[in-house]
Amino acid sequence: MNFRIYQPATSLAPYVKQYYHLQSTNSGLINLPQNLFSLGDLYMVFLQEGEVIFQPTQHASFTLPEASVVGHFTCHHQIMVKGPVKMTVIQLNAYGCYKLAGLDMSSFNNYFRDLLKQDRECWTELAGTIAAHNDITTLDAVLDNAFTNMMCGQSHNLKQVDEIADYILSTQGYTNIEWLTKKFKLSRHTMERKFMEVIGLTPQLYARMLRFRDAMRHMQRMNVEEWQTFITNNDYYSQALFIQDFLFFKGEVPVLNQETAIAQMPVARPVAVA
């Protein structure tokens, strides 16, 4: 299996975080690399060969079309890939889809959108360009050029949501809606409405995702005896609330008496966001 990771141009930050290209000639089921799809981010998937099936716990399974946006996943999900497979994945930050694709995220309730059914022809052109590009060593330059042109050709007002989302990210989710409304001088209703339109989540759920992801990152480096102290010192208040989030996002209850439990939880690799 050939799996490559590319860094996008600095000018695309913070909307575009990373590019991935996966290619395998093996037939049948293929295990995706760990952390390819993680909490808190959105992903564009351009599929040239093979089949990708998502199975969220609280939603019917779906098969990705040739070009799509997937996320935000608000419950545990499994991914099944049938090869041979060839696909390119663009990792976006929380509001990158609104900025680049111009989609109203408040109606983004089925976990994916078919980009080729959107009004803009640029997605059909980009899918064709990726499919025709055979030199994977220069794929990042192709994607950089395409997304730079898209951004120059449009301007979506992020409605201050980018500032709020970046602030929540800077605190790793350890904040609350009351503090956010005071800091950004918005009513709770207005903030939640704007967040749903631009990101597709409430600020509370977005913060909950980031807080859980940050807890997993830290707890992988701890032994069992240190977990309770960490949880109660980081706004979880009790082990029961942490277990509730673990079940919600991971789909299983952590085994709290085994040091390997947390190490088995895939966590997103931290990526700097401007």
Side-chain angles (χ1 to χ4, degrees):
M1 180 173 67
N2 189 354
F3 180 66
R4 299 177 67 95
I5 302 175
Y6 312 83
Q7 295 299 326
T10 305
S11 59
L12 294 173
Y15 314 110
V16 183
K17 297 176 72 171
Q18 281 186 314
Y19 304 133
Y20 306 94
H21 183 76
L22 174 68
Q23 189 169 352
S24 175
T25 57
N26 296 331
S27 300
L29 298 181
I30 298 172
N31 291 325
L32 289 178
Q34 190 179 26
N35 306 332
L36 181 55
F37 294 93
S38 59
L39 288 175
D41 290 327
L42 292 163
Y43 297 83
M44 289 182 182
V45 180
F46 293 89
L47 187 63
Q48 293 87 56
E49 187 178 2
E51 186 175 349
V52 181
I53 302 171
F54 282 79
Q55 177 58 75
T57 303
Q58 302 173 12
H59 190 278
S61 63
F62 57 87
T63 301
L64 292 186
E66 179 184 349
S68 60
V69 176
V70 282
H72 289 282
F73 289 99
T74 53
C75 67
H76 175 65
H77 63 280
Q78 294 180 323
I79 308 171
M80 181 170 63
V81 178
K82 294 182 179 179
V85 66
K86 182 179 181 182
M87 67 178 182
T88 300
V89 180
I90 294 91
Q91 182 181 14
L92 306 172
N93 76 345
Y95 48 86
C97 180
Y98 182 88
K99 178 66 177 179
L100 296 178
L103 298 176
D104 182 350
M105 301 299 290
S106 62
S107 60
F108 206 85
N109 53 13
N110 288 323
Y111 292 125
F112 83 102
R113 283 290 184 276
D114 188 340
L115 285 172
L116 301 188
K117 292 184 178 180
Q118 305 305 311
D119 293 335
R120 300 175 62 197
E121 295 181 357
C122 59
W123 303 116
T124 302
E125 295 174 359
L126 180 55
T129 300
I130 294 174
H133 192 76
N134 295 320
D135 183 4
I136 61 173
T137 63
T138 59
L139 181 60
D140 55 336
V142 172
L143 296 172
D144 283 344
N145 183 63
F147 289 126
T148 299
N149 290 336
M150 286 182 196
M151 289 179 61
C152 291
Q154 62 168 325
S155 58
H156 288 291
N157 181 6
L158 290 169
K159 306 178 188 298
Q160 198 184 13
V161 172
D162 53 332
E163 298 176 22
I164 303 171
D166 287 347
Y167 175 78
I168 296 174
L169 180 63
S170 72
T171 67
Q172 294 299 334
Y174 297 114
T175 186
N176 57 65
I177 190 69
E178 288 75 19
W179 169 252
L180 292 173
T181 56
K182 292 177 181 178
K183 179 175 177 60
F184 292 96
K185 298 179 174 59
L186 293 172
S187 70
R188 180 178 184 136
H189 174 75
T190 299
M191 181 177 292
E192 291 178 343
R193 176 178 54 79
K194 288 183 174 183
F195 236 77
M196 286 299 298
E197 182 180 351
V198 174
I199 292 182
L201 300 172
T202 63
Q204 299 96 315
L205 182 54
Y206 181 61
R208 182 182 175 188
M209 282 181 169
L210 296 181
R211 185 167 60 246
F212 178 75
R213 190 175 70 179
D214 184 64
M216 291 295 93
R217 188 159 49 233
H218 283 85
M219 293 174 70
Q220 279 188 317
R221 300 191 293 267
M222 298 177 182
N223 58 43
V224 176
E225 290 74 20
E226 296 173 303
W227 291 356
Q228 183 63 59
T229 301
F230 176 82
I231 291 169
T232 54
N233 288 339
N234 286 273
D235 286 358
Y236 269 110
Y237 306 114
S238 71
Q239 189 168 281
L241 288 177
F242 170 74
I243 293 174
Q244 182 181 24
D245 273 6
F246 196 101
L247 179 62
F248 185 72
F249 292 123
K250 181 68 171 69
E252 61 187 30
V253 177
V255 183
L256 295 178
N257 61 352
Q258 293 182 6
E259 294 187 15
T260 58
I262 293 299
Q264 295 168 352
M265 170 64 186
V267 237
R269 181 171 59 82
V271 179
V273 177

